[in-house]
């Protein structure tokens, strides 16, 4: 079974993006006749070839808190729920049978996860694996992740992963996240953050397209996607995971 190590990766992504979403540019997922997307964030003009939903907020026009998208979990599963309630939510959302839901513990973070494979989580997007992560101290839901890859669907292709990423990015761009929290097409180690946005309480959505980079003509770095990860995170800056107390070592 695939090991779940999602929380530290999300924290690292938030750190990189906060440090400067315009710092690295020029990476492009490998596809037919595709212009190279360039890193962009709220307040920066979108580069040619970077789809941006019409009406998306800009950093110069702050949105009222009551109009900002609220991230409270994924579908019927809400942050703060216990495992029994999340399992009931999974049954409601996906008609999940009890034996289809798998459990997994993370020995380093001391978190607990339950996993479910869902065909067509995104219409025509292939089978994804959902992971619901419960905090070390709270034992309540702190993160929901979805992964599309060859491991979740043997028939998935790089083109399908890129298509899924584009569909989800366009959707999130029109959802009304805090304008100054939005970053798109941000190259990071091993992939591209296609979208990152937060709500008024700093709960975040992160869409990460992972793969392998190649250097092409004119030093353009081309990404061949191998997986697409989507995270809904209650507190990416200070997650409820095990950490050694200061002074012990």
């Amino acid at each position: 079974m695939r090991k779940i190590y999602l929380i530290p990766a999300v924290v690292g992504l938030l750190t990189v993006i906060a440090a400067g979403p315009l710092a690295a540019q020029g990476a492009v997922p490998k596809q037919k006749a595709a212009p190279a997307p360039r890193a962009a964030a709220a307040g920066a003009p979108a580069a040619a070839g970077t789809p941006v939903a019409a009406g998306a907020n800009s950093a110069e026009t702050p949105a009222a808190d009551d109009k900002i998208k609220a991230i409270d979990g994924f579908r019927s599963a809400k942050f703060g729920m216990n495992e029994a309630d999340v399992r009931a939510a999974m049954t409601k959302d996906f008609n999940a049978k009890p034996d289809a839901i798998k459990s997994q513990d993370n020995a380093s973070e001391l978190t607990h996860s339950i996993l479910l494979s869902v065909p067509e989580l995104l219409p025509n997007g292939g089978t994804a694996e959902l992971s619901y992560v419960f905090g070390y101290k709270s034992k309540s839901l702190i993160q929901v992740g979805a992964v599309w890859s060859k491991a979740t669907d043997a028939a998935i292709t790089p083109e399908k992963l890129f298509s899924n990423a584009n569909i989800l990015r366009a959707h999130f761009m029109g959802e009304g996240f805090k304008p100054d929290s939005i970053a798109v097409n941000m190259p990071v180690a091993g992939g591209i953050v296609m979208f990152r946005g937060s709500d008024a309480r700093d709960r975040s959505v992160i869409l990460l397209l992972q793969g392998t980079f190649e250097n092409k003509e004119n030093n353009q770095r081309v990404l061949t996607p191998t997986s697409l990860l989507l995270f809904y995170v209650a507190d990416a800056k200070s997650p409820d995971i095990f950490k050694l107390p200061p002074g012990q070592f």
Side-chain angles (χ1 to χ4, degrees), residues 166-183:
N166 270 339
I167 291 168
L168 288 167
R169 178 182 58 185
H171 168 73
F172 290 133
M173 285 297 296
E175 282 287 272
F177 292 92
K178 279 197 309 184
D180 62 357
S181 75
I182 295 173

mmCIF file with all atom_site columns, all heavy atoms in Angstrom, residues 166-183:
data_model
loop_
_atom_site.group_PDB
_atom_site.id
_atom_site.type_symbol
_atom_site.label_atom_id
_atom_site.label_alt_id
_atom_site.label_comp_id
_atom_site.label_asym_id
_atom_site.label_entity_id
_atom_site.label_seq_id
_atom_site.pdbx_PDB_ins_code
_atom_site.Cartn_x
_atom_site.Cartn_y
_atom_site.Cartn_z
_atom_site.occupancy
_atom_site.B_iso_or_equiv
_atom_site.pdbx_formal_charge
_atom_site.auth_seq_id
_atom_site.auth_comp_id
_atom_site.auth_asym_id
_atom_site.auth_atom_id
_atom_site.pdbx_PDB_model_num
ATOM 1   N N   . ASN A 1 166 ? -5.660  21.010 -15.785 1.00 0.00 ? 166 ASN A N   1
ATOM 2   C CA  . ASN A 1 166 ? -6.201  22.225 -16.392 1.00 0.00 ? 166 ASN A CA  1
ATOM 3   C C   . ASN A 1 166 ? -7.650  22.466 -15.998 1.00 0.00 ? 166 ASN A C   1
ATOM 4   O O   . ASN A 1 166 ? -8.062  23.598 -15.718 1.00 0.00 ? 166 ASN A O   1
ATOM 5   C CB  . ASN A 1 166 ? -6.086  22.144 -17.917 1.00 0.00 ? 166 ASN A CB  1
ATOM 6   C CG  . ASN A 1 166 ? -4.783  22.716 -18.432 1.00 0.00 ? 166 ASN A CG  1
ATOM 7   O OD1 . ASN A 1 166 ? -4.133  23.511 -17.762 1.00 0.00 ? 166 ASN A OD1 1
ATOM 8   N ND2 . ASN A 1 166 ? -4.382  22.308 -19.617 1.00 0.00 ? 166 ASN A ND2 1
ATOM 9   N N   . ILE A 1 167 ? -8.439  21.398 -15.985 1.00 0.00 ? 167 ILE A N   1
ATOM 10  C CA  . ILE A 1 167 ? -9.855  21.515 -15.613 1.00 0.00 ? 167 ILE A CA  1
ATOM 11  C C   . ILE A 1 167 ? -9.992  21.998 -14.178 1.00 0.00 ? 167 ILE A C   1
ATOM 12  O O   . ILE A 1 167 ? -10.773 22.914 -13.874 1.00 0.00 ? 167 ILE A O   1
ATOM 13  C CB  . ILE A 1 167 ? -10.571 20.159 -15.804 1.00 0.00 ? 167 ILE A CB  1
ATOM 14  C CG1 . ILE A 1 167 ? -10.684 19.823 -17.293 1.00 0.00 ? 167 ILE A CG1 1
ATOM 15  C CG2 . ILE A 1 167 ? -11.947 20.171 -15.150 1.00 0.00 ? 167 ILE A CG2 1
ATOM 16  C CD1 . ILE A 1 167 ? -11.108 18.399 -17.569 1.00 0.00 ? 167 ILE A CD1 1
ATOM 17  N N   . LEU A 1 168 ? -9.216  21.399 -13.276 1.00 0.00 ? 168 LEU A N   1
ATOM 18  C CA  . LEU A 1 168 ? -9.306  21.775 -11.866 1.00 0.00 ? 168 LEU A CA  1
ATOM 19  C C   . LEU A 1 168 ? -8.769  23.184 -11.632 1.00 0.00 ? 168 LEU A C   1
ATOM 20  O O   . LEU A 1 168 ? -9.354  23.962 -10.857 1.00 0.00 ? 168 LEU A O   1
ATOM 21  C CB  . LEU A 1 168 ? -8.556  20.762 -11.006 1.00 0.00 ? 168 LEU A CB  1
ATOM 22  C CG  . LEU A 1 168 ? -9.241  19.398 -10.876 1.00 0.00 ? 168 LEU A CG  1
ATOM 23  C CD1 . LEU A 1 168 ? -8.283  18.363 -10.289 1.00 0.00 ? 168 LEU A CD1 1
ATOM 24  C CD2 . LEU A 1 168 ? -10.501 19.506 -10.019 1.00 0.00 ? 168 LEU A CD2 1
ATOM 25  N N   . ARG A 1 169 ? -7.675  23.548 -12.292 1.00 0.00 ? 169 ARG A N   1
ATOM 26  C CA  . ARG A 1 169 ? -7.138  24.897 -12.124 1.00 0.00 ? 169 ARG A CA  1
ATOM 27  C C   . ARG A 1 169 ? -8.144  25.945 -12.570 1.00 0.00 ? 169 ARG A C   1
ATOM 28  O O   . ARG A 1 169 ? -8.371  26.944 -11.864 1.00 0.00 ? 169 ARG A O   1
ATOM 29  C CB  . ARG A 1 169 ? -5.844  25.053 -12.914 1.00 0.00 ? 169 ARG A CB  1
ATOM 30  C CG  . ARG A 1 169 ? -5.235  26.458 -12.832 1.00 0.00 ? 169 ARG A CG  1
ATOM 31  C CD  . ARG A 1 169 ? -3.974  26.582 -13.659 1.00 0.00 ? 169 ARG A CD  1
ATOM 32  N NE  . ARG A 1 169 ? -4.228  26.254 -15.061 1.00 0.00 ? 169 ARG A NE  1
ATOM 33  C CZ  . ARG A 1 169 ? -3.278  26.179 -15.987 1.00 0.00 ? 169 ARG A CZ  1
ATOM 34  N NH1 . ARG A 1 169 ? -2.005  26.366 -15.657 1.00 0.00 ? 169 ARG A NH1 1
ATOM 35  N NH2 . ARG A 1 169 ? -3.575  25.868 -17.236 1.00 0.00 ? 169 ARG A NH2 1
ATOM 36  N N   . ALA A 1 170 ? -8.768  25.745 -13.724 1.00 0.00 ? 170 ALA A N   1
ATOM 37  C CA  . ALA A 1 170 ? -9.765  26.694 -14.210 1.00 0.00 ? 170 ALA A CA  1
ATOM 38  C C   . ALA A 1 170 ? -10.937 26.798 -13.238 1.00 0.00 ? 170 ALA A C   1
ATOM 39  O O   . ALA A 1 170 ? -11.459 27.897 -12.989 1.00 0.00 ? 170 ALA A O   1
ATOM 40  C CB  . ALA A 1 170 ? -10.255 26.274 -15.593 1.00 0.00 ? 170 ALA A CB  1
ATOM 41  N N   . HIS A 1 171 ? -11.335 25.678 -12.662 1.00 0.00 ? 171 HIS A N   1
ATOM 42  C CA  . HIS A 1 171 ? -12.420 25.684 -11.674 1.00 0.00 ? 171 HIS A CA  1
ATOM 43  C C   . HIS A 1 171 ? -12.045 26.504 -10.447 1.00 0.00 ? 171 HIS A C   1
ATOM 44  O O   . HIS A 1 171 ? -12.797 27.376 -10.007 1.00 0.00 ? 171 HIS A O   1
ATOM 45  C CB  . HIS A 1 171 ? -12.760 24.254 -11.270 1.00 0.00 ? 171 HIS A CB  1
ATOM 46  C CG  . HIS A 1 171 ? -13.652 24.151 -10.080 1.00 0.00 ? 171 HIS A CG  1
ATOM 47  N ND1 . HIS A 1 171 ? -14.994 24.451 -10.127 1.00 0.00 ? 171 HIS A ND1 1
ATOM 48  C CD2 . HIS A 1 171 ? -13.385 23.803 -8.783  1.00 0.00 ? 171 HIS A CD2 1
ATOM 49  C CE1 . HIS A 1 171 ? -15.531 24.283 -8.922  1.00 0.00 ? 171 HIS A CE1 1
ATOM 50  N NE2 . HIS A 1 171 ? -14.573 23.889 -8.099  1.00 0.00 ? 171 HIS A NE2 1
ATOM 51  N N   . PHE A 1 172 ? -10.855 26.238 -9.901  1.00 0.00 ? 172 PHE A N   1
ATOM 52  C CA  . PHE A 1 172 ? -10.447 26.935 -8.677  1.00 0.00 ? 172 PHE A CA  1
ATOM 53  C C   . PHE A 1 172 ? -10.224 28.427 -8.918  1.00 0.00 ? 172 PHE A C   1
ATOM 54  O O   . PHE A 1 172 ? -10.463 29.240 -8.023  1.00 0.00 ? 172 PHE A O   1
ATOM 55  C CB  . PHE A 1 172 ? -9.188  26.292 -8.103  1.00 0.00 ? 172 PHE A CB  1
ATOM 56  C CG  . PHE A 1 172 ? -9.405  24.918 -7.527  1.00 0.00 ? 172 PHE A CG  1
ATOM 57  C CD1 . PHE A 1 172 ? -8.545  23.871 -7.838  1.00 0.00 ? 172 PHE A CD1 1
ATOM 58  C CD2 . PHE A 1 172 ? -10.471 24.663 -6.683  1.00 0.00 ? 172 PHE A CD2 1
ATOM 59  C CE1 . PHE A 1 172 ? -8.736  22.603 -7.311  1.00 0.00 ? 172 PHE A CE1 1
ATOM 60  C CE2 . PHE A 1 172 ? -10.684 23.392 -6.148  1.00 0.00 ? 172 PHE A CE2 1
ATOM 61  C CZ  . PHE A 1 172 ? -9.815  22.367 -6.461  1.00 0.00 ? 172 PHE A CZ  1
ATOM 62  N N   . MET A 1 173 ? -9.777  28.788 -10.102 1.00 0.00 ? 173 MET A N   1
ATOM 63  C CA  . MET A 1 173 ? -9.554  30.198 -10.393 1.00 0.00 ? 173 MET A CA  1
ATOM 64  C C   . MET A 1 173 ? -10.844 31.010 -10.305 1.00 0.00 ? 173 MET A C   1
ATOM 65  O O   . MET A 1 173 ? -10.815 32.212 -10.035 1.00 0.00 ? 173 MET A O   1
ATOM 66  C CB  . MET A 1 173 ? -8.931  30.369 -11.780 1.00 0.00 ? 173 MET A CB  1
ATOM 67  C CG  . MET A 1 173 ? -7.460  29.995 -11.860 1.00 0.00 ? 173 MET A CG  1
ATOM 68  S SD  . MET A 1 173 ? -6.381  31.017 -10.826 1.00 0.00 ? 173 MET A SD  1
ATOM 69  C CE  . MET A 1 173 ? -6.600  32.619 -11.594 1.00 0.00 ? 173 MET A CE  1
ATOM 70  N N   . GLY A 1 174 ? -11.973 30.378 -10.513 1.00 0.00 ? 174 GLY A N   1
ATOM 71  C CA  . GLY A 1 174 ? -13.249 31.080 -10.440 1.00 0.00 ? 174 GLY A CA  1
ATOM 72  C C   . GLY A 1 174 ? -13.981 30.912 -9.127  1.00 0.00 ? 174 GLY A C   1
ATOM 73  O O   . GLY A 1 174 ? -15.135 31.348 -9.010  1.00 0.00 ? 174 GLY A O   1
ATOM 74  N N   . GLU A 1 175 ? -13.324 30.316 -8.124  1.00 0.00 ? 175 GLU A N   1
ATOM 75  C CA  . GLU A 1 175 ? -14.001 29.986 -6.878  1.00 0.00 ? 175 GLU A CA  1
ATOM 76  C C   . GLU A 1 175 ? -13.981 31.100 -5.834  1.00 0.00 ? 175 GLU A C   1
ATOM 77  O O   . GLU A 1 175 ? -14.658 31.010 -4.826  1.00 0.00 ? 175 GLU A O   1
ATOM 78  C CB  . GLU A 1 175 ? -13.405 28.711 -6.276  1.00 0.00 ? 175 GLU A CB  1
ATOM 79  C CG  . GLU A 1 175 ? -13.888 27.430 -6.938  1.00 0.00 ? 175 GLU A CG  1
ATOM 80  C CD  . GLU A 1 175 ? -15.329 27.115 -6.569  1.00 0.00 ? 175 GLU A CD  1
ATOM 81  O OE1 . GLU A 1 175 ? -15.556 26.445 -5.542  1.00 0.00 ? 175 GLU A OE1 1
ATOM 82  O OE2 . GLU A 1 175 ? -16.221 27.554 -7.311  1.00 0.00 ? 175 GLU A OE2 1
ATOM 83  N N   . GLY A 1 176 ? -13.159 32.126 -6.005  1.00 0.00 ? 176 GLY A N   1
ATOM 84  C CA  . GLY A 1 176 ? -13.187 33.243 -5.065  1.00 0.00 ? 176 GLY A CA  1
ATOM 85  C C   . GLY A 1 176 ? -12.308 33.078 -3.845  1.00 0.00 ? 176 GLY A C   1
ATOM 86  O O   . GLY A 1 176 ? -12.703 33.465 -2.738  1.00 0.00 ? 176 GLY A O   1
ATOM 87  N N   . PHE A 1 177 ? -11.095 32.526 -4.014  1.00 0.00 ? 177 PHE A N   1
ATOM 88  C CA  . PHE A 1 177 ? -10.151 32.444 -2.906  1.00 0.00 ? 177 PHE A CA  1
ATOM 89  C C   . PHE A 1 177 ? -9.560  33.827 -2.621  1.00 0.00 ? 177 PHE A C   1
ATOM 90  O O   . PHE A 1 177 ? -9.693  34.749 -3.427  1.00 0.00 ? 177 PHE A O   1
ATOM 91  C CB  . PHE A 1 177 ? -9.032  31.457 -3.233  1.00 0.00 ? 177 PHE A CB  1
ATOM 92  C CG  . PHE A 1 177 ? -9.492  30.027 -3.315  1.00 0.00 ? 177 PHE A CG  1
ATOM 93  C CD1 . PHE A 1 177 ? -9.897  29.481 -4.527  1.00 0.00 ? 177 PHE A CD1 1
ATOM 94  C CD2 . PHE A 1 177 ? -9.542  29.226 -2.187  1.00 0.00 ? 177 PHE A CD2 1
ATOM 95  C CE1 . PHE A 1 177 ? -10.335 28.179 -4.609  1.00 0.00 ? 177 PHE A CE1 1
ATOM 96  C CE2 . PHE A 1 177 ? -9.972  27.916 -2.253  1.00 0.00 ? 177 PHE A CE2 1
ATOM 97  C CZ  . PHE A 1 177 ? -10.377 27.384 -3.472  1.00 0.00 ? 177 PHE A CZ  1
ATOM 98  N N   . LYS A 1 178 ? -8.882  33.971 -1.479  1.00 0.00 ? 178 LYS A N   1
ATOM 99  C CA  . LYS A 1 178 ? -8.237  35.249 -1.162  1.00 0.00 ? 178 LYS A CA  1
ATOM 100 C C   . LYS A 1 178 ? -7.303  35.626 -2.302  1.00 0.00 ? 178 LYS A C   1
ATOM 101 O O   . LYS A 1 178 ? -6.397  34.857 -2.636  1.00 0.00 ? 178 LYS A O   1
ATOM 102 C CB  . LYS A 1 178 ? -7.437  35.147 0.143   1.00 0.00 ? 178 LYS A CB  1
ATOM 103 C CG  . LYS A 1 178 ? -8.248  35.279 1.403   1.00 0.00 ? 178 LYS A CG  1
ATOM 104 C CD  . LYS A 1 178 ? -7.380  35.579 2.614   1.00 0.00 ? 178 LYS A CD  1
ATOM 105 C CE  . LYS A 1 178 ? -6.215  34.631 2.765   1.00 0.00 ? 178 LYS A CE  1
ATOM 106 N NZ  . LYS A 1 178 ? -5.444  34.891 4.014   1.00 0.00 ? 178 LYS A NZ  1
ATOM 107 N N   . PRO A 1 179 ? -7.478  36.798 -2.886  1.00 0.00 ? 179 PRO A N   1
ATOM 108 C CA  . PRO A 1 179 ? -6.665  37.157 -4.051  1.00 0.00 ? 179 PRO A CA  1
ATOM 109 C C   . PRO A 1 179 ? -5.171  37.102 -3.794  1.00 0.00 ? 179 PRO A C   1
ATOM 110 O O   . PRO A 1 179 ? -4.408  36.637 -4.651  1.00 0.00 ? 179 PRO A O   1
ATOM 111 C CB  . PRO A 1 179 ? -7.124  38.586 -4.363  1.00 0.00 ? 179 PRO A CB  1
ATOM 112 C CG  . PRO A 1 179 ? -8.514  38.659 -3.828  1.00 0.00 ? 179 PRO A CG  1
ATOM 113 C CD  . PRO A 1 179 ? -8.510  37.809 -2.588  1.00 0.00 ? 179 PRO A CD  1
ATOM 114 N N   . ASP A 1 180 ? -4.723  37.555 -2.622  1.00 0.00 ? 180 ASP A N   1
ATOM 115 C CA  . ASP A 1 180 ? -3.281  37.587 -2.376  1.00 0.00 ? 180 ASP A CA  1
ATOM 116 C C   . ASP A 1 180 ? -2.713  36.224 -2.006  1.00 0.00 ? 180 ASP A C   1
ATOM 117 O O   . ASP A 1 180 ? -1.514  36.084 -1.778  1.00 0.00 ? 180 ASP A O   1
ATOM 118 C CB  . ASP A 1 180 ? -2.931  38.623 -1.305  1.00 0.00 ? 180 ASP A CB  1
ATOM 119 C CG  . ASP A 1 180 ? -3.572  38.326 0.049   1.00 0.00 ? 180 ASP A CG  1
ATOM 120 O OD1 . ASP A 1 180 ? -4.335  37.338 0.147   1.00 0.00 ? 180 ASP A OD1 1
ATOM 121 O OD2 . ASP A 1 180 ? -3.320  39.081 1.004   1.00 0.00 ? 180 ASP A OD2 1
ATOM 122 N N   . SER A 1 181 ? -3.565  35.193 -1.941  1.00 0.00 ? 181 SER A N   1
ATOM 123 C CA  . SER A 1 181 ? -3.085  33.836 -1.638  1.00 0.00 ? 181 SER A CA  1
ATOM 124 C C   . SER A 1 181 ? -2.929  32.992 -2.896  1.00 0.00 ? 181 SER A C   1
ATOM 125 O O   . SER A 1 181 ? -2.366  31.902 -2.842  1.00 0.00 ? 181 SER A O   1
ATOM 126 C CB  . SER A 1 181 ? -4.064  33.127 -0.695  1.00 0.00 ? 181 SER A CB  1
ATOM 127 O OG  . SER A 1 181 ? -5.245  32.705 -1.392  1.00 0.00 ? 181 SER A OG  1
ATOM 128 N N   . ILE A 1 182 ? -3.401  33.493 -4.022  1.00 0.00 ? 182 ILE A N   1
ATOM 129 C CA  . ILE A 1 182 ? -3.461  32.675 -5.234  1.00 0.00 ? 182 ILE A CA  1
ATOM 130 C C   . ILE A 1 182 ? -2.121  32.650 -5.961  1.00 0.00 ? 182 ILE A C   1
ATOM 131 O O   . ILE A 1 182 ? -1.496  33.684 -6.169  1.00 0.00 ? 182 ILE A O   1
ATOM 132 C CB  . ILE A 1 182 ? -4.563  33.196 -6.182  1.00 0.00 ? 182 ILE A CB  1
ATOM 133 C CG1 . ILE A 1 182 ? -5.941  33.021 -5.521  1.00 0.00 ? 182 ILE A CG1 1
ATOM 134 C CG2 . ILE A 1 182 ? -4.525  32.461 -7.518  1.00 0.00 ? 182 ILE A CG2 1
ATOM 135 C CD1 . ILE A 1 182 ? -7.067  33.666 -6.299  1.00 0.00 ? 182 ILE A CD1 1
ATOM 136 N N   . ALA A 1 183 ? -1.682  31.455 -6.317  1.00 0.00 ? 183 ALA A N   1
ATOM 137 C CA  . ALA A 1 183 ? -0.512  31.264 -7.178  1.00 0.00 ? 183 ALA A CA  1
ATOM 138 C C   . ALA A 1 183 ? -0.852  30.181 -8.181  1.00 0.00 ? 183 ALA A C   1
ATOM 139 O O   . ALA A 1 183 ? -1.526  29.198 -7.845  1.00 0.00 ? 183 ALA A O   1
ATOM 140 C CB  . ALA A 1 183 ? 0.707   30.878 -6.355  1.00 0.00 ? 183 ALA A CB  1
#
